[in-house]
Amino acid sequence: MNNLALQALSGKNRSGRPPLWLMRQAGRYMHEYQAIRKRHDLLTLFRTPELITEVTKLPIDAFGFDAAIVFSDILLISEALGFTLRFEEAVGPIIDPPLSPEADFTQLVGRDIVGSLQYVYEAIRQLKRTLTVPLIGFAGAPFTLATYLIEGGSSRLMRKTKRWFFQEPESFTRLLDILAMATIEHLNAQIDAGVDAIQIFDSWANVLPAPQFQAFAANFMDKVMKGLKPCPIILFCRGSSLYAHELAAIKPQGISLDWQADLPKIRSSLGKDICLQGNLDPDILLTSPSVVRKEALRIMEQMRDDPAFIFNLGHGILPETPRANVEALIACVRDF
Ligand code: 1CP
């Protein structure tokens, strides 16, 4: 087992080079993935343990990243909660009908979350039998999951969500409570199945003003974390450079930083114990190998010999990323 990733998560990587994996490392930038996607639609991929296992391993076999991430999605739990989910080409996820403040969302309580998502846990068990690197499980944070349920899919402005929580904070809080309980069940089942670490994504928490960030994002990531069995946890949100202190106060093993963050500044203000993950701008991977090397080296120099640093992107890898640039990044981190 390559434990560089787990060593960095516990602040004990003395090897001189950081572990490396990418956000959304299994995906459309890989021709192997595109070939599998031609044969199966996305929901079939997400629901079939053998296909989950195959896709999870693609980037490990092709590039040798230091950790694998279960090929799944933060929105599959919405099906377990009784919503209808589909993914439309060139549009993204659609939840139809979406959730409104008038709906009786007590119907979301008492669902068999773990029973509905068995295919995820079966894939984790399969992967653990053969993987040679640590396996990361994940879920969306309650706030980000709520935005998809309320907006009915991807949204940039989150107008319906914001109207709901500004006008009716109590009922919004009740909704987040229900989603937190379901998320805890899903993550504990992933831990039971054998994942080595958990990442919680609050991708849209950047739309929140500071008081609401605390009330709806930070407090609910905290609530989820407190419900989990022992396992290293990494928290991510867009806006993590703005809210790094609030995230660190929840006391996860690691936080994943967006590309706006100044890593040395955040390291000196948070202290050396917490693992920092990040933060190359994914757009840099659209340039050229020499630019990728220059920008990656800048980060490597900044974090040189930091025993609690993991090299990653500041957000998900883009589908149009040229493979040569991913290869240049890997060589740069490996040879540092
Ligand atoms: O290697 C991996 O990381 C793959 C596993 C993975 C993860 C960790 C996928 C597969 N999705 C996710 C997390 C996820 N899904 C997040 C949180 C991380 C982030 O902020 O990027 C979010 C917000 C989603 C929701 C989602 N899933 C969207 C909408 C994004 C938006 O802007 O609103 C979309 C398009 C998906 C589909 C999806 N999920 C995963 C992949 C590889 C894809 C695209 C697949 C394809 O089109 O073939």
Side-chain angles (χ1 to χ4, degrees):
M1 168 75 78
N2 170 349
N3 268 328
L4 219 53
L6 298 178
Q7 283 163 13
L9 266 176
S10 55
K12 293 188 181 126
N13 173 21
R14 309 270 169 217
S15 73
R17 81 135 175 112
L20 164 71
W21 68 78
L22 306 184
M23 264 178 92
R24 301 268 188 106
Q25 64 186 15
R28 283 173 290 181
Y29 75 103
M30 292 187 77
H31 58 75
E32 297 92 332
Y33 175 81
Q34 309 255 19
I36 296 175
R37 277 283 270 120
K38 280 210 182 98
R39 298 197 298 275
H40 309 279
D41 66 78
L42 199 48
L43 276 176
T44 306
L45 277 193
F46 285 140
R47 288 183 191 135
T48 314
E50 290 67 29
L51 294 172
I52 300 172
T53 299
E54 187 181 347
V55 175
T56 302
K57 285 179 164 176
L58 288 178
I60 308 302
D61 294 342
F63 304 114
F65 291 123
D66 294 300
I69 300 152
V70 182
F71 185 76
S72 188
D73 198 81
I74 66 162
L75 298 177
L76 294 169
I77 198 169
S78 61
E79 293 187 309
L81 287 163
F83 292 88
T84 306
L85 168 71
R86 61 180 201 278
F87 287 93
E88 265 180 26
E89 294 301 327
V91 178
I94 311 271
I95 288 170
D96 189 22
L99 187 64
S100 74
E102 295 75 43
D104 172 17
F105 52 82
T106 54
Q107 285 181 10
L108 310 181
V109 182
R111 301 261 170 179
D112 183 8
I113 303 294
V114 170
S116 308
L117 293 166
Q118 274 303 320
Y119 52 85
V120 178
Y121 320 128
E122 176 51 32
I124 291 170
R125 286 190 290 269
Q126 279 184 18
L127 280 160
K128 285 301 293 176
R129 286 198 278 274
T130 52
L131 264 183
T132 54
V133 292
L135 180 62
I136 301 169
F138 67 91
F143 175 75
T144 286
L145 179 58
T147 68
Y148 284 97
L149 301 181
I150 296 165
E151 307 291 334
S154 300
S155 159
R156 295 288 172 263
L157 300 173
M158 308 291 167
R159 292 262 155 80
K160 292 196 219 160
T161 309
K162 289 179 127 181
R163 199 179 314 127
W164 185 336
F165 70 62
F166 282 128
Q167 281 184 337
E168 299 177 47
E170 291 83 12
S171 84
F172 191 72
T173 303
R174 275 202 306 283
L175 171 63
L176 294 183
D177 258 320
I178 294 169
L179 300 181
M181 291 307 148
T183 304
I184 289 169
E185 285 183 44
H186 182 37
L187 288 175
N188 275 335
Q190 295 184 52
I191 295 170
D192 284 340
V195 294
D196 298 284
I198 290 286
Q199 182 147 9
I200 301 174
F201 293 100
D202 215 346
S203 301
W204 295 107
N206 60 319
V207 303
L208 294 167
Q212 283 77 18
F213 182 88
Q214 191 58 49
F216 302 136
N219 287 357
F220 280 91
M221 281 189 263
D222 187 44
K223 186 162 203 160
V224 169
M225 263 196 64
K226 289 206 168 90
L228 297 187
K229 300 182 176 191
C231 187
I233 313 284
I234 306 166
L235 300 180
F236 167 80
C237 67
R238 275 203 197 85
S240 53
S241 29
L242 190 58
Y243 291 124
H245 282 270
E246 285 78 358
L247 293 175
I250 304 171
K251 302 214 172 304
Q253 274 64 36
I255 58 178
S256 182
L257 292 159
D258 57 37
W259 66 87
Q260 286 90 346
D262 180 309
L263 290 176
K265 222 192 250 173
I266 289 193
R267 169 59 80 214
S268 67
S269 73
L270 294 184
K272 62 180 171 34
D273 293 335
I274 191 163
C275 174
L276 299 181
Q277 170 175 311
N279 72 340
L280 192 80
D281 187 334
D283 283 341
I284 290 170
L285 286 179
L286 301 181
T287 59
S288 66
S290 65
V291 175
V292 169
R293 267 192 295 276
K294 180 170 135 254
E295 296 292 332
L297 277 175
R298 189 180 53 79
I299 293 177
M300 300 286 286
E301 287 294 352
Q302 285 181 329
M303 301 306 279
R304 185 186 274 279
D305 290 332
D306 188 317
F309 173 59
I310 293 169
F311 199 107
N312 204 317
L313 303 180
H315 198 230
I317 187 166
L318 297 158
E320 57 273 38
T321 300
R323 195 174 178 116
N325 291 348
V326 176
E327 283 161 358
L329 173 64
I330 292 164
C332 180
V333 177
R334 281 274 143 71
D335 301 343
F336 188 68

